[in-house]
Amino acid sequence: IWGGNFTVIKIGLHDMPPMLLAALRYTFTALPLIFFIRKPAIEWRYILAYGLTIGFGQFACLFYAMTIGMPAGIASMILQSQAFFTIIFAFFLLKEPIKARQMLGFFVAFLGLYYIGGINDVNLVFSIPGFALFLTVAAAAFWGISNVIVRLASHKAASRGEKLDTLSLVAWSSLVPPLPLLAMALLMDSPATLWTSLMNIKGSAIFSIAYLAYGGTILGSTCWSRLLTKHPAGSIAPFSLLVPISGLLIAQVVLGERLSASQWLGSAIILLGLIICNTNFSSLRIMLSGRSGNS
């Protein structure tokens, strides 16, 4: 579902300004769900922080990056650097330790970003603007912060003997992004342009809003947040490496995106970095030596 998000965003951006599309996504995520679900048993500061980071921060950066030239498939890959931001933020805010393999994975993935940017490739299929690349990495950082906020909110609820309702968190926090996103939309486009876009909305934009609101946010984010309430952030975050595999394939099939050799190499290097980050080599050696002894 999340892998398809990026292609769906690209489709929606053909017919609608980026900040308006993002605002509508969260408007229809919150409404009418909040009328049937109680507010989560946490303070408003956690709800506001989560909504501002994962909703406004992440998607304002991502949607605009894709508007100015970030390919959907590569966006799905770069955004997974959230795993490393999550590990770093969890270290400082949650005191969760950083392992040597996680640091090695971080530096390997950073090398992948270098190649994805096409720095050494003069025959790019997609020439990625530097600002679009920066915004996509910034989106990943906001996602990383939001993961830590979920962990903090979960710990707070647990300290009172309560369990964090992640569906409620996703629904109520979705009230936060629409207003700042609409403010950004008004800074980027005139009210007349936004109104015309709404009045002449096409089926592709409606599909995009529905998929992003109900598939990507309500279903995807709820399941993801539930995992974060049960396990250390550094253990869950790297599993997002499954997203770019489907993201690259869907973008290639639906949008016809063709990457350069340099960009394919960079994508593979990022995946390698994520795998290194998430592989317990000590346990793997023990498992393999055990099998060898049994044989």
Side-chain angles (χ1 to χ4, degrees):
I1 293 171
W2 271 356
N5 266 354
F6 303 90
T7 294
V8 171
I9 290 169
K10 203 77 172 181
I11 291 171
L13 290 174
H14 286 157
D15 303 311
M16 184 165 286
M19 299 305 145
L20 180 60
L21 180 65
L24 290 173
R25 167 190 184 157
Y26 279 98
T27 299
F28 286 100
T29 298
L31 303 174
L33 205 57
I34 60 168
F35 295 115
F36 303 97
I37 298 177
R38 289 183 178 179
K39 172 184 166 293
I42 52 174
E43 291 81 356
W44 270 105
R45 66 175 180 269
Y46 294 109
I47 298 173
L48 291 171
Y50 185 71
L52 286 173
T53 51
I54 199 167
F56 176 63
Q58 179 185 187
F59 287 104
C61 291
L62 179 63
F63 278 43
Y64 189 64
M66 295 179 72
T67 300
I68 62 175
M70 175 57 67
I74 293 181
S76 72
M77 178 65 68
I78 295 175
L79 202 63
Q80 304 325 307
S81 60
Q82 63 82 21
F84 305 110
F85 287 112
T86 299
I87 290 167
I88 293 169
F89 294 140
F91 171 76
F92 286 106
L93 299 176
L94 301 175
K95 308 305 179 185
E96 293 182 2
I98 298 178
K99 298 178 176 64
R101 59 180 167 81
Q102 293 173 328
M103 291 303 300
L104 175 60
F106 175 82
F107 287 113
V108 170
F110 184 80
L111 178 64
L113 287 177
Y114 175 89
Y115 280 100
I116 275 184
I119 297 173
N120 292 327
D121 196 336
V122 295
N123 296 310
L124 285 179
V125 179
F126 286 102
S127 180
I128 303 174
F131 190 51
L133 184 62
F134 168 79
L135 285 174
T136 308
V137 173
F142 278 114
W143 185 3
I145 296 171
S146 75
N147 289 336
V148 174
I149 291 169
V150 172
R151 292 286 292 166
L152 288 169
S154 178
H155 290 166
K156 185 68 173 180
S159 69
R160 296 195 296 261
E162 299 171 336
K163 184 178 179 181
L164 179 63
D165 184 338
T166 54
L167 176 58
S168 177
L169 173 64
V170 169
W172 282 83
S173 66
S174 294
L175 289 171
V176 178
L179 285 179
L181 286 168
L182 284 173
M184 289 288 294
L186 288 170
L187 289 174
M188 296 170 61
D189 296 288
S190 68
T193 299
L194 299 177
W195 181 252
T196 300
S197 180
L198 279 175
M199 291 298 98
N200 297 284
I201 191 169
K202 296 182 179 179
S204 58
I206 294 174
F207 167 75
S208 178
I209 293 166
Y211 184 101
L212 295 171
Y214 303 115
T217 306
I218 292 177
L219 180 58
S221 295
T222 298
C223 292
W224 180 260
S225 298
R226 185 166 297 170
L227 287 171
L228 287 167
T229 65
K230 296 180 178 180
H231 306 281
S235 297
I236 295 304
F239 277 96
S240 64
L241 64 88
L242 296 172
V243 173
I245 296 173
S246 57
L248 285 167
L249 291 175
I250 292 171
Q252 185 166 338
V253 172
V254 177
L255 301 176
E257 290 186 355
R258 296 292 183 269
L259 308 186
S260 69
S262 173
Q263 291 166 339
W264 275 117
L265 175 62
S267 298
I269 291 173
I270 289 179
L271 271 179
L272 175 61
L274 289 166
I275 291 170
I276 291 171
C277 181
N278 198 45
T279 301
N280 189 331
F281 292 101
S282 298
S283 298
L284 185 61
R285 283 196 299 270
I286 293 171
M287 182 182 68
L288 292 175
S289 63
R291 288 183 178 178
S292 176
N294 291 335
S295 63

